[in-house]
Amino acid sequence: NILIVVDPGSRFRFRQTSIVPRAPGSSSEPLVQGFAPGEIARAALVGTAANNAVTEWREIGHAKAAVGDQNITADHATPRLDVDIEIEPSRRLRFGDVRLTGQSRISEPRLREMLGWPQGEVFSPEDPNKSVGRMRRSGVFSTVSATEAEVPNADDTLDYTLALVDQKLRRFGFSAEYSTLDGILV
């Protein structure tokens, strides 16, 4: 017989929850419900709050915002958790060029027209999704995926690569025969 006994210990609560800097114009509300002093400390809340802070920055054009230094301290004597996360906002970027990859029967000028790429506009995470969605809805491609460049250009633009794979051609078949005995057979 094997007996496993688990002692879960004390339930931790947040003592301090700091994720800075927040994006200008962001709400003073907590980044996620439950991520506040006195609330039950859950690991998932810490990750979600950090991701939400990065998203706030990305929504105002800081495409390369990321989580920077993190200091998360558990005090076992008081069962309290202190969370101190620094966000690195990066610089504000605009959309650069889009490089098309893959084989397509459609000419590149027509592909670019269909894509409606927002070149020169301030970065928004929704714009690439709109362009990719437009390409998918066309019904021409079996695969459409956009990938942003790892490093922005010196002129504060961010290039993308768009991978396209055409759908197989749709074909309609029809056969007919004519016989002097039976007439037309379809």
Side-chain angles (χ1 to χ4, degrees):
N1 290 338
I2 298 174
L3 176 64
I4 299 174
V5 178
V6 176
D7 180 7
S10 301
R11 178 173 274 182
F12 278 71
R13 293 193 174 272
F14 291 117
R15 178 173 33 214
Q16 173 194 341
T17 56
S18 172
I19 297 182
V20 291
R22 297 277 301 269
S26 61
S27 169
S28 60
E29 296 291 317
L31 287 159
V32 64
Q33 187 70 26
F35 184 71
E39 296 289 333
I40 295 171
R42 299 182 194 282
L45 291 176
V46 176
T48 300
N51 288 337
N52 289 351
V54 168
T55 298
E56 286 179 344
W57 281 101
R58 284 179 55 85
E59 287 175 348
I60 61 168
H62 297 259
K64 293 300 180 180
V67 173
D69 291 337
Q70 304 175 51
N71 186 8
I72 301 172
T73 307
D75 181 353
H76 292 273
T78 62
R80 298 285 183 215
L81 188 71
D82 294 331
V83 178
D84 185 18
I85 298 175
E86 182 181 325
I87 301 297
E88 296 174 353
S90 80
R91 60 191 200 259
R92 195 164 191 222
L93 301 174
R94 292 173 288 109
F95 285 106
D97 193 20
V98 62
R99 187 172 67 101
L100 302 173
T101 64
Q103 297 291 325
S104 181
R105 294 176 302 277
I106 301 173
S107 70
E108 186 169 327
R110 178 64 182 127
L111 287 171
R112 289 184 179 281
E113 184 181 318
M114 290 171 64
L115 184 61
W117 193 250
Q119 189 166 355
E121 294 180 19
V122 172
F123 174 85
S124 166
E126 294 175 13
D127 285 343
N129 294 337
K130 288 178 184 175
S131 293
V132 167
R134 188 175 308 112
M135 297 298 268
R136 287 183 180 147
R137 284 189 306 276
S138 72
V140 175
F141 308 101
S142 64
T143 302
V144 180
S145 68
T147 307
E148 70 182 44
E150 291 293 321
V151 179
N153 300 319
D155 65 350
D156 289 340
T157 59
L158 183 63
D159 293 339
Y160 271 73
T161 299
L162 185 73
L164 301 168
V165 176
D166 284 356
Q167 286 275 20
K168 291 183 180 178
L169 290 174
R170 296 183 177 115
R171 297 173 192 242
F172 292 97
F174 181 83
S175 71
E177 290 181 31
Y178 179 77
S179 166
T180 56
L181 296 175
D182 298 326
I184 295 178
L185 301 172
V186 180

